[in-house]
Amino acid sequence: MADDLQKDALSLVHSVVMGVAGTAPTFSISATMATLIGAVGVLAPASLLYCGLIMFGITFAYMHLNRLEANAGASYAWVSRIFNRTLGFFAGWTLLVASTLFMVSATIPAGNATLLLLCPSLVNDQLAVTLVSMGWLVAVSLVLIRGIALTGAVQAVMTAIELAILLVLTVAAALRFGPAAAHRLSWGQLAPSAFTPAAFASGAIIALYFFWGWDVAVNLNEETRDSARLPGLGAALAMVIITSAFTAFAAVALLALGDDEIRNASTNVIFAVADRLFPRPWSYLAVLALMLSTIGTLETSILQFTRTMFAKSRDGALHRRWARLHADWRSPYWATLLIAGLGCLLLLLSLLFHGVGEVLKASINAIGVQVAYYYGLAGFACAWHFRHRARQSLADLVLMVAWPALSAVALWASAVVAVSQFDLPTALIAVGGVLLGAVPLGANRQARERVAATPPMAGRPSDGG
């Protein structure tokens, strides 16, 4: 079809790379570790481990649902098919909102890292950080418009370098600080009984921000070889890598840094650890890893946004212009320009907050709740659709029904508890952003009904490249 995304452009390796890059290990640690440790202290490694186990239930849901239908809209398409179009619309809309908010929390660390390398005196200048962040957002968007094949190749190189640097830092810190730890860690801190319900929910919502993004591998299914199988497998393999990396580095950060050091490090926890391990300029390898990670997660978040918007617009759930593809590069360029513009606008609005740390905290918490919502919908959809398979084997009962459903319950319960503890602006951003979807839902109802009456693959928008 002339209006299809680029077919067979990605392999299993690309799916794993995209899944890892989507979570942006170095960026997530830098942007969020101080917030997580501030919330749960020495229970941070356990929070990440348990959140990883919860997330595996959603990963299994995505694997099985992708075999049911390989659709770039992922949770939007599956929830629409299994439950109804309204719930499906909000599953996709929530991802769009979270991705847009992420343009702020992703680009600010990139701006920080760039200034730390080029002009350290401006690192604490919020206007300078914001302008550099906008520059990164525009540059990454232009690369993505160029097409998925180039993006996949660039992403593979960046992710390999990032993981290598992170591994070196983790091993070196464990060997050096283990005997003289800043915090005393014990196996008992990994027990569920170490948490109160409120502490678990608070840690889970923040930890969810670490893991969000692995599902980009599935959003790229229409552009991946063996689209029904490889994207889901790639997402699962990526989850193994990132759960191990996050849990290990949380322990390393607690071993290497005291509470005041972690608090003062803010969005530069990785650099603070590296600075204690290696003399400068070698410690600046951590800054390089952060820049690569941030660029990578910017790419994957924009990919998720544009592929979800492409799928929804193709179905008539949003205006058809957002499904137009570039004539040569087969990329949804209008959708890419949209999120770049929205991201720049939000970055400018973030100047109204008092300091970078306040902006990051608000966006991290809001995104965590929104991700819990649409991941949870996918988990429930999988459990409901495959409920009859539970009678056939224990494996089907666990992997298709029980684990996805329990993960969905845990995510939604954590989101409800977390929202009750937010300040009013953060709660409004988290919940109001989702409810705002009622506007385009109503505006495009007639278009959806027309598409629903059209045979599959027909009536798609013309190529606007």
Side-chain angles (χ1 to χ4, degrees):
M1 296 287 296
D3 52 356
D4 281 344
L5 296 162
Q6 186 175 350
K7 298 295 184 183
D8 299 332
L10 303 175
S11 64
L12 175 61
V13 172
H14 288 117
S15 288
V16 176
V17 165
M18 288 295 183
V20 172
T23 64
T26 306
F27 160 77
S28 297
I29 291 168
S30 293
T32 320
M33 189 63 74
T35 302
L36 178 62
I37 294 175
V40 298
V42 294
L43 299 179
S47 286
L48 289 164
L49 177 61
Y50 288 126
C51 192
L53 293 175
I54 291 171
M55 199 55 61
F56 267 108
I58 306 302
T59 306
F60 292 139
Y62 270 68
M63 286 180 64
H64 297 306
L65 292 171
N66 186 66
R67 290 174 181 169
L68 178 70
E69 179 184 359
N71 188 301
S75 60
Y76 149 73
W78 306 324
V79 174
S80 296
R81 173 173 174 171
I82 294 169
F83 291 142
N84 58 64
R85 289 180 176 272
T86 299
L87 273 179
F89 179 91
F90 277 104
W93 176 261
T94 305
L95 183 148
L96 296 179
V97 172
S99 298
T100 303
L101 289 175
F102 190 67
M103 294 301 100
V104 175
S105 53
T107 52
I108 285 177
N112 262 324
T114 303
L115 290 173
L116 187 61
L117 285 175
L118 301 179
C119 191
S121 62
L122 292 177
V123 165
N124 295 317
D125 185 323
Q126 191 173 358
L127 177 60
V129 171
T130 300
L131 292 176
V132 174
S133 300
M134 290 173 64
W136 273 118
L137 177 56
V138 171
V140 169
S141 299
L142 292 176
V143 171
L144 290 175
I145 289 175
R146 181 61 179 79
I148 191 62
L150 174 62
T151 301
V154 171
Q155 194 69 268
V157 174
M158 292 195 303
T159 302
I161 296 172
E162 175 196 353
L163 289 178
I165 294 173
L166 193 59
L167 179 62
V168 169
L169 291 175
T170 302
V171 173
L175 292 175
R176 178 170 177 180
F177 298 117
H183 294 86
R184 296 183 63 85
L185 303 181
S186 68
W187 292 109
Q189 293 160 356
L190 293 176
S193 58
F195 291 88
T196 65
F200 184 87
S202 177
I205 285 298
I206 298 170
L208 184 57
Y209 185 88
F210 280 79
F211 288 95
W212 177 48
W214 56 265
D215 48 318
V216 67
V218 185
N219 284 111
L220 296 171
N221 50 22
E222 294 186 32
E223 297 155 274
T224 305
R225 294 194 290 271
D226 195 356
S227 60
R229 188 177 66 90
L230 292 188
L233 178 58
L237 293 174
M239 274 297 301
V240 173
I241 295 171
I242 60 181
T243 301
S244 303
F246 287 146
T247 304
F249 204 91
V252 160
L254 288 166
L255 290 175
L257 304 173
D259 290 335
D260 289 340
E261 291 174 304
I262 292 171
R263 187 165 42 252
N264 293 334
S266 184
T267 60
N268 291 311
V269 168
I270 289 239
F271 182 65
V273 172
D275 227 16
R276 293 202 61 191
L277 285 171
F278 305 112
R280 299 187 183 187
W282 296 108
S283 60
Y284 280 96
L285 284 173
V287 182
L288 173 62
L290 175 59
M291 290 182 66
L292 293 176
S293 184
T294 305
I295 296 168
T297 196
L298 262 179
E299 286 187 349
T300 55
S301 187
I302 294 173
L303 285 171
Q304 278 195 286
F305 179 97
T306 56
R307 270 51 182 181
T308 301
M309 181 159 272
F310 168 81
K312 296 187 75 170
S313 301
R314 180 175 63 188
D315 294 345
L318 293 174
H319 195 284
R320 305 300 286 275
R321 74 168 63 88
W322 310 119
R324 292 174 182 166
L325 301 177
H326 192 279
D328 298 321
W329 301 326
R330 316 310 305 154
S331 60
Y333 64 101
W334 276 111
T336 306
L337 293 173
L338 174 65
I339 191 172
L342 290 173
C344 288
L345 176 61
L346 288 179
L347 280 167
L348 291 174
L349 291 176
S350 73
L351 292 172
L352 299 176
F353 284 77
H354 299 294
V356 170
E358 187 179 345
V359 175
L360 286 175
K361 182 179 179 181
S363 62
I364 287 168
N365 283 324
I367 289 171
V369 168
Q370 292 165 354
V371 173
Y373 173 70
Y374 87 81
Y375 275 173
L377 276 176
F380 286 129
C382 180
W384 179 255
H385 182 78
F386 293 107
R387 65 192 185 281
H388 300 300
R389 294 278 296 270
R391 305 170 186 170
Q392 299 180 12
S393 72
L394 179 61
D396 287 348
L397 170 63
V398 172
L399 300 180
M400 291 183 168
V401 180
W403 202 337
L406 290 173
S407 294
V409 169
L411 289 174
W412 278 20
S414 297
V416 170
V417 173
V419 169
S420 69
Q421 299 174 343
F422 287 169
D423 56 36
L424 182 60
T426 305
L428 287 175
I429 293 171
V431 179
V434 177
L435 296 179
L436 190 62
V439 176
L441 175 68
N444 290 280
R445 186 175 299 277
Q446 290 184 346
R448 290 198 311 279
E449 291 173 354
R450 287 196 301 271
V451 173
T454 305
M457 303 299 290
R460 290 185 178 180
S462 59
D463 188 342

